[in-house]
Amino acid sequence: MTQIADAPIDTVRTPADRVEAWLGKFNEALAAEDPYAVAALFVDDSYWRDLVAFTWNLKTVEGREQIAAMLTERLAQTRPRGFVASEEPTDSDGVAEAFIAFETATGRGDGQLRLRVDDDGEDRAWTLLTTLQELKGYEESTGVSRPMGASHGSDPTAKSWAERQEDEAAALGRTVQPYVLVIGGGQGGIALGARLRQLGVTSLVVDKYDRPGDQWRSRYKTLCLHDPVWYDHLPYLPFPANWPVFAPKDKVADWLEFYTKVMEVPYWSRTECTSASYDEEQGRWTVEIVRDGEQMTLHPTQLVLATGMSGKPNVPSFPGADTFAGDQHHSSHHPGPDGFVGKKVVVIGANNSSHDICKALVENGIDTTMVQRSSTHVVKSASLMKIGLGALYSEEAVQGGMTTKKADMTFASLPYKIMHQFQIPLYDQIREQDKDYYDRLEKAGFDLDFGDDESGLFMKYLRRGSGYYIDVGACDLVADGTIKLAKGGVKEITENSVVLEDGTELPADVIVYATGYGSMNGWAADLMGQEVADRVGKVWGLGSDTTKDPGPWEGEQRNMWKPTQQPNLWFHGGNLHQSRHYSLYLALQLKARFEGLDTPVYGLQEVHHLS
C-alpha cells in the first residue's frame, strides 16, 4: 500500500529500531518546544495529518514549513509527549510503518507513522497521523470502567432503568435543552448520537420519518449496500459474523432501528425542523420544529446537519417537463419496478442509482432506456473488494489480525494530496484484469473513465461524491442491450418523450431523474437562510481542481466533521465507514466544548466556493 519505487532499504536496523530511534528524537524536540527541530525530522515532501489532537480541527499540514507553523502556534498549549509504538513496527519496501500512541495536555491519542531514508541517509518522517481518542477526565465508561447497571443494597427511592429513561425522555426538549441538536437520523446522525450518549453530552437526534431506518426503507426495494460489511460497522456494535457481505436496504434499516434503541440514542422521529437562527450574543441556536403536529422551540448550543452527504436531490429543469403526461420523479423517490410493468421508462443518468434502478426494471420485463450524459467510472464489485479493499476490509484481513480500528487508521493515514498515487496502480491492475469486461461495455457505446488522473472510484468519491458505479450486475445488461443505452444531453421533454440534443426522441411513460445531489449546504440555506449557507460555503470535495472539485487545494474534506465559518454549526455524514470513523472526532470536539475546555481552532477553513 505504501510502495515507493527504488526506495533505499535499510538492511541493518529493524523497523522497530528505526521507529524507536526516530520517536526518541521526536519526543525530545517536542519537549524542548522547538517547532523547527521537530520539522527537521520530516522529509521535504512530508505530510502531518491531525484529527483534533493538535489543531482542534481536521487539518493536514504539508512540508516542513507548514509543520513548523502549526507547531509554533499549537505546541505550548498541546504539550504532546510519550510518543511510542503501540505494536511491532513493520517494513514495506524500505518504509518503516508503525501504529503509535501518545498523550497531550487534554487527551490521549493514537496514530500512524511512516519513515523513509532521506537523501542524507537519515530516517525522517514521510507521513504522520495523529488522532485524539479520548479526553482526560472525560473518558467513556467502557471495559473495566463500564457502568454497574444495578444498584445493590437497599434504597427505597431508587428508580428502575426504565423509569429513569422515561424521566429523561420527558424532560428533554422541555425542561432540559439539548446541548447538541443533530438534524437527520440516518446512519450519520445515529452514529454521532451514540458517541455523544457515551460521552455524556446532552443531545437529541431528530428525523422526519416515522422510525429510525426509514430513510433506507423508503428507497427502491432492490437497493443493497455496495460496500462490504467489513467496511460498514457502526461504533461500539459491529455487525454479527453472519451478516451478509452486501446488506439489503431493509435489513440495514432494521439494524439502524435496533442500534438506536440498544445504544439509547435520544431520538425523535416524526420531527421536522422548519427554521434555525443563531444568536451571536447568547451563543446558541433557536430551532423551530414540528413534532407529531406539535410546534416546539429548541435552544441547542451546537447544531449538526446530518442530512446526508449528498445533500438535496438535484432535479434538472428541462424545457417542457411541465407538459409531460406520465410519471416523473427523482431517484431518491423511486419506489421500485412494481408499478411500471408495461410502461416505457427513461432513466436520465448513468451512475450508481441509475444502474440499480435500470437493472431492477429490466429484470421485471420493463422497457428501460438509460441516458448517459457524461462518462462514468465503473468497477466490478468483486474486483473492488479484492484489489481495492481486500488488504484492509475483508475476511482475509480480519483473519490476518486487521481490526476495524487499525484499518480505519491506515486508511486515514494516507494524505489526500498523494492518495491518488496509491490508487492508480490498483485501478491499472483492475483495468488489466477486467479488460474483456471493459471492452464489451465500450463496444456497446458506454463511455468509460477512471477519473481525471486514472485514480478510480475512491478519489472520485472523495473529490465529488459522484460519477461512478460499483457493478453488481447491471453492466452486463448494458453490454448485451437488455438495458437500452442512449447518449447525450437532454434538449427537451414532450408530453410523451425525452428528446436529446442530437434530435433522438425516446418514448417515455415514466422519467426517473438519477441526476444526483447538490451540496449539503443546500439544507443550511433552507433552514438558516442563504447568508449562512454562503458563510459556510461548499460542503464536500478536496479542492483537487479535477472535474466538479474546483481548487484551490483544501487538504481535507470541505466543512465535514470540523468547525465551519458559522459558529456552532457542523456537518456530519458520508458512507457508513465515514459515519463510524469521523463521528468520534466530531463527538470529541463537541464534548470538549460541552465541558468548557479551551478549543482554539488551528487553520479554520476559508470559503472559496459557495455551493
Side-chain angles (χ1 to χ4, degrees), residues 404-444:
T404 301
K405 180 178 178 179
K406 288 199 294 184
D408 288 351
M409 283 286 178
T410 301
F411 193 75
S413 71
L414 283 176
Y416 289 130
K417 188 67 170 288
I418 58 173
M419 186 178 286
H420 65 285
Q421 297 176 17
F422 302 101
Q423 294 296 307
I424 290 169
L426 301 180
Y427 286 92
D428 285 346
Q429 184 180 346
I430 288 172
R431 188 158 36 187
E432 178 63 28
Q433 172 187 283
D434 298 332
K435 183 179 184 302
D436 291 343
Y437 162 81
Y438 289 117
D439 286 347
R440 284 192 297 113
L441 271 175
E442 289 186 317
K443 186 176 180 181

Side-chain angles (χ1 to χ4, degrees), residues 42-161:
F42 289 75
V43 297
D44 285 337
D45 56 334
S46 53
Y47 303 87
W48 183 338
R49 188 180 190 210
D50 180 63
L51 306 183
V52 185
F54 280 69
T55 60
W56 291 109
N57 197 358
L58 274 61
K59 182 71 176 175
T60 299
V61 286
E62 303 176 3
R64 293 172 180 167
E65 184 176 339
Q66 289 188 19
I67 289 171
M70 183 272 285
L71 292 175
T72 297
E73 189 168 323
R74 296 296 307 130
L75 195 51
Q77 187 181 46
T78 304
R79 302 204 306 276
R81 57 193 177 275
F83 279 79
V84 295
S86 53
E87 58 182 75
E88 188 70 18
T90 60
D91 178 273
S92 177
D93 295 303
V95 176
E97 302 182 357
F99 291 105
I100 59 174
F102 62 94
E103 290 187 30
T104 69
T106 55
R108 300 177 187 88
D110 292 326
Q112 192 166 22
L113 168 69
R114 292 186 182 90
L115 300 176
R116 75 182 195 207
V117 180
D118 208 351
D119 294 339
D120 61 0
E122 293 292 320
D123 269 328
R124 289 190 175 88
W126 175 37
T127 70
L128 176 63
L129 170 71
T130 50
T131 74
L132 184 66
Q133 294 290 306
E134 63 181 6
L135 294 165
K136 292 178 179 176
Y138 305 104
E139 297 83 357
E140 293 186 24
S141 298
T142 60
V144 295
S145 62
R146 72 176 71 229
M148 284 293 292
S151 298
H152 295 165
S154 177
D155 182 358
T157 65
K159 291 187 175 183
S160 70
W161 172 84

Side-chain angles (χ1 to χ4, degrees), residues 13-35:
R13 295 176 297 156
T14 66
D17 291 336
R18 297 171 63 190
V19 167
E20 182 179 7
W22 187 88
L23 287 176
K25 298 174 185 176
F26 187 60
N27 282 320
E28 288 177 8
L30 292 172
E33 296 188 8
D34 187 340

Side-chain angles (χ1 to χ4, degrees), residues 30 47 59 65 67 113 134 165 216 222 236 243 252 361 481 510 515 555:
L30 292 172
Y47 303 87
K59 182 71 176 175
E65 184 176 339
I67 289 171
L113 168 69
E134 63 181 6
Q165 291 282 97
W216 288 85
T222 56
Y236 309 110
W243 196 259
V252 174
L361 288 167
V510 180
T515 46

Side-chain angles (χ1 to χ4, degrees), residues 47-51 57-62 66 129 412-419 459 462-463 540-545 549-562 582 603 605-606 608:
Y47 303 87
W48 183 338
R49 188 180 190 210
D50 180 63
L51 306 183
N57 197 358
L58 274 61
K59 182 71 176 175
T60 299
V61 286
E62 303 176 3
Q66 289 188 19
L129 170 71
S413 71
L414 283 176
Y416 289 130
K417 188 67 170 288
I418 58 173
M419 186 178 286
M459 297 313 301
L462 293 168
R463 290 166 172 169
W540 203 260
L542 302 172
S544 62
D545 210 20
D549 184 29
W553 178 245
E554 307 278 2
E556 292 286 339
Q557 289 287 347
R558 294 185 189 96
N559 286 314
M560 292 297 295
W561 316 296
K562 60 184 179 180
Y582 289 101
Q605 182 183 306
E606 298 179 10
H608 301 291

